Structure formats: structure tokens, C-alpha cells
Amino acid sequence: MNDALYKLIRAHYRTLEGYVSAGMEMAKDDRKIFLNANENPYELPGLEGLNRYPEPQPKALLEAYARAYGVEADQVVMTRGADEAIVILTQLFCEPHEDAVLICSPTFGMYGVDARSMPAGVVDVPLLKQEGTFALDKDGIIAAATDQGKCVKLVFLCSPNNPTGTSFSHEVISEICEAVEGHAVVVLDETYAEFSENGSMAEDLESTPNLIILRTLSKSYAFAGMRMGCFLCGDTDFTALARAKALEAYPLPLMSIEAAFYVLSPEISALAKENIKKILAERARMAAALQESDHVVHVYPADANFLLVEMNDAKGFYNYAAAQDVILRDFSAKPGTEGCLRISIGTPEQNDIVLKLLSEFQK
Ligand SMILES: Cc1ncc(COP(=O)(O)O)c(C=O)c1O
């Protein structure tokens, strides 16, 4: 394993013996009688096959993920959503009570929640507000992540960022990776990458030893209910270690595995891509229409499937919409997004309802 990762992994993971599940010892094969995993031999009607534990990381599904994300199968670790990948990486790198993760607020809340539950520290280098949008404070991030006293092990960058919708340039992210190498690992959360023209940094993984990328089927593949995500790393010794020592015995539900093959098939992937185009067209329409409203102060430029909208009375409109069964996300009281609501892009009909409510809303 490359030093940029190996030296930062918590010491006990280097020697820890991972659990070897019955499923790992012997691949399932219809001709064999399996009495090694305390499974129930009686299948219930309509639930055939579900009496057996699933394969922890099915090779064919790793290959399907690899094709979708432009990497090799052994560079993928499949997890229950990107959410679980965040937990696993925090556990792998952060020594409780000693180490910290770096976040750039306003950003996805789970980075901080998972760190605090270790407990590990959270060092915040807030995004800079510049010309009506947000930017990474590159120098601030590098200074904090290389400050020995702060013990930052993971730098979470989210691009496009939730809740601001901002994409950050690959160049700046590469510069951060290079500058913090040996001090910290950069975890780039690409949960919304399919909605951005910037695309993915997966092709930089081989040449960037301290870069790990999070991906998920939840958003672009409309698969949130199945909880399927992954992390990607160029170093296959690291992904092998993570699979052997940091995953649960049977991390992926069988029905999620089977449905993931289906959603990643060429036919269904093509439909998902068509839907992304519809969402992007609606995002543009909504951004323009919202900006026209007297209630709206600013619609932040967005690269994901939602818009961050600053309003004169965000809380009032949130409550007004909720009273009519339209549920938006209220960020108005959070630092960095004061006065803002986050509005997911829905179908044209759903979006029209939001616009209608806005036109009817009296301050
Ligand atoms: C930035 C970001 N990362 C990760 C996640 C979690 O995604 P998943 O559904 O794959 O767990 C979300 C969910 O909203 C998110 O916004």
C-alpha cells in the first residue's frame, strides 16, 4: 500500500484480523449443501433465496460499478450508500479522541456527525462566498490539514456540494491533494457528479495516492431506497484491506445486489441518463423562474439536482409550502446559508406547484 494511505491508517487496522464469514470461505454453488452459516433451510413462498446470506462483494457487481465509474473492479468497495462509506473511512483513519476530519461548511452534515460519534474532532474551514457563489478556501484547507496540532486525517470535499450545489475545479482539488499528502487523505464526495459538467475525478485516482472518491446509485440512478454506494481508491491494497477489515460480514442486502445489476444494465442506465437530462432542463427553468420572484433574493448557481435559494422570508415560505404538503429543506438558520431554502428538482408538474405557491405567497 502506498505510504500516503498506509501511514495514516489507524495502527490497529494494520494488524487487526478481519472476520472471515462463511460466505467468504466458499462461493455459493447450487450443487453443494451449505450447512456452514446457520441459515434456515426452508425458503418461504415468494422469498426464495432470501434464506441465504448474500455474497459480501459480488465480483460481477464490482465489475458493473467499475464500468459505471471508469475504474477497475478491485478499486471499488461497495457500501450501503455513500453514507456507510463515510462511516467506514472515518473509522479507518481517525483515532478516537485524537484525530479530526476537516469539513468546508456549509456542507453535507454526516461528515461531522460520523466524526463526532467516534468521537473525532471536526475542523471547519468554511467555504468562501464570492461573487454570488461559493469557493473552497484552498489555502485555509491546506494550512489546517498540514497543521500537526490539528491532527486532521480526512479532508471531506463535496463536489457538487450539498447544500450549495457548487462544483469545485478539479485543478484546485488536485492542488489540495498534493499539498496535504502525508498529512491527510482527501475524500471527494461525488454523490451529485452525474448532474455536473465537471464530471468525476476518477481518472486522477491512479496518480493521486491520497485521493478517495465516494459515489452512489441513490441520486442519478434513482435508487436511494436500495442503499447502494461505494468508495473508489487507486490503491488496490487499500481497497482489499478495507473490504477485509472494515466492512461488516454481509454488508449488502441480497435484494439490493440483484436490483443493482438491473439498474446498472445498459438499458436502465440509458433511461436514468435521459432522466438526468430532464432534471437539468428543469433545474435551468426553475432557477430562472425563481429568480424572477420578488420573494427571492438570489438563486445560487447549481450543478446538482437541487437549488439553494435565498429568500426574503425563507422560513415563512417553507411553512407556507409545508402547509400545502410541499416539503422543502430549510437551511435558513444554518451558518453560511442564512435565509436559504434548498429545493430539490422534481418533475415539471411538481416544480410548477412550487412556482405557483411562490406566486401566491404573501409576505
Ligand atoms: C453529499 C452527500 N453525500 C452522501 C450522501 C448519502 O448518499 P447515499 O444515499 O448514497 O447514502 C448524500 C445524501 O443526500 C449527500 O447529499
Side-chain angles (χ1 to χ4, degrees):
M1 191 183 312
N2 79 67
D3 269 0
L5 295 171
Y6 190 71
K7 287 197 174 149
L8 297 179
I9 284 185
R10 283 166 69 194
H12 83 272
Y13 272 108
R14 297 187 207 131
T15 50
L16 178 80
E17 268 189 42
Y19 179 69
V20 179
S21 65
M24 285 173 177
E25 281 178 336
M26 185 77 67
K28 293 273 152 124
D29 174 339
D30 287 346
R31 292 164 307 169
K32 295 184 179 130
I33 297 170
F34 283 96
L35 301 175
N36 63 340
N38 301 345
E39 294 157 333
N40 190 320
Y42 300 107
E43 297 174 316
L44 290 171
L47 301 171
E48 288 79 9
L50 295 183
N51 57 328
R52 300 290 175 192
Y53 282 106
E55 230 185 291
Q57 298 274 287
K59 190 165 173 285
L61 190 57
L62 286 170
E63 284 163 358
Y65 268 63
R67 279 192 296 279
Y69 296 135
V71 295
E72 301 296 326
D74 53 4
Q75 295 173 323
V76 182
V77 178
M78 295 184 290
T79 53
R80 283 188 298 267
D83 268 341
E84 195 197 22
I86 299 166
V87 176
I88 288 172
L89 293 168
T90 306
Q91 283 175 352
L92 273 168
F93 288 100
C94 291
E95 202 60 60
H97 302 285
E98 281 179 27
D99 294 331
V101 305
L102 186 151
I103 61 165
C104 303
S105 69
T107 192
F108 185 49
M110 289 309 290
Y111 313 139
V113 169
D114 290 337
R116 288 186 190 99
S117 70
M118 288 282 293
V122 178
V123 173
D124 189 6
V125 180
L127 296 175
L128 304 170
K129 259 192 200 169
Q130 281 175 355
E131 294 162 19
T133 186
F134 293 87
L136 290 172
D137 176 1
K138 184 181 76 175
D139 296 339
I141 293 169
I142 293 170
T146 55
D147 176 343
Q148 306 270 2
K150 292 199 161 52
C151 298
V152 169
K153 289 294 175 339
L154 295 179
V155 174
F156 282 102
L157 302 179
C158 185
S159 181
N161 184 45
N162 179 10
T164 62
T166 332
S167 276
F168 305 114
S169 96
H170 289 183
E171 219 171 39
V172 169
I173 295 169
S174 292
E175 282 171 32
I176 293 171
C177 290
E178 199 177 323
V180 307
E181 192 182 319
H183 297 273
V185 174
V186 174
V187 180
L188 175 61
D189 187 340
E190 292 189 339
T191 284
Y192 300 97
E194 289 91 340
F195 301 99
S196 163
E197 282 185 5
N198 258 12
S200 171
M201 281 189 74
E203 62 186 29
D204 296 275
L205 281 171
E206 296 271 2
S207 59
T208 316
N210 61 335
L211 176 63
I212 295 175
I213 292 179
L214 309 183
R215 301 297 304 249
T216 179
L217 303 184
S218 290
K219 314 288 181 178
S220 56
Y221 287 91
F223 207 60
M226 284 292 181
R227 311 305 301 124
M228 291 295 279
C230 67
F231 59 89
L232 313 173
C233 180
D235 189 324
T236 56
D237 289 333
F238 172 73
T239 51
L241 178 145
R243 276 200 221 108
K245 301 188 183 188
L247 291 183
E248 285 173 26
Y250 302 103
L252 308 174
L254 190 59
M255 292 178 90
S256 298
I257 292 171
E258 288 177 358
F261 280 115
Y262 179 65
V263 86
L264 289 169
S265 67
E267 194 188 345
I268 303 299
S269 298
L271 284 180
K273 287 202 175 98
E274 285 306 309
N275 289 338
I276 290 174
K277 284 189 200 152
K278 289 186 207 160
I279 291 168
L280 297 188
E282 278 297 289
R283 184 180 76 195
R285 180 176 80 90
M286 283 297 281
L290 288 166
Q291 194 61 76
E292 290 290 299
S293 165
D294 288 343
H295 298 297
V296 170
V297 178
H298 182 54
V299 180
Y300 283 91
D303 238 2
N305 63 338
F306 54 83
L307 293 167
L308 185 70
V309 185
E310 186 180 347
M311 304 185 69
N312 291 320
D313 180 12
K315 187 82 193 158
F317 183 61
Y318 171 84
N319 289 334
Y320 179 73
Q324 320 226 17
D325 295 334
V326 176
I327 315 302
L328 310 173
R329 185 84 156 162
D330 182 10
F331 279 91
S332 62
K334 303 233 174 190
T337 52
E338 291 85 354
C340 291
L341 300 183
R342 193 191 65 195
I343 304 179
S344 304
I345 303 299
T347 62
E349 296 74 23
Q350 293 168 340
N351 299 332
D352 281 342
I353 291 172
V354 173
L355 295 176
K356 182 164 173 288
L357 289 177
L358 192 60
S359 71
E360 292 163 358
F361 177 54
Q362 304 293 330
K363 209 182 151 212

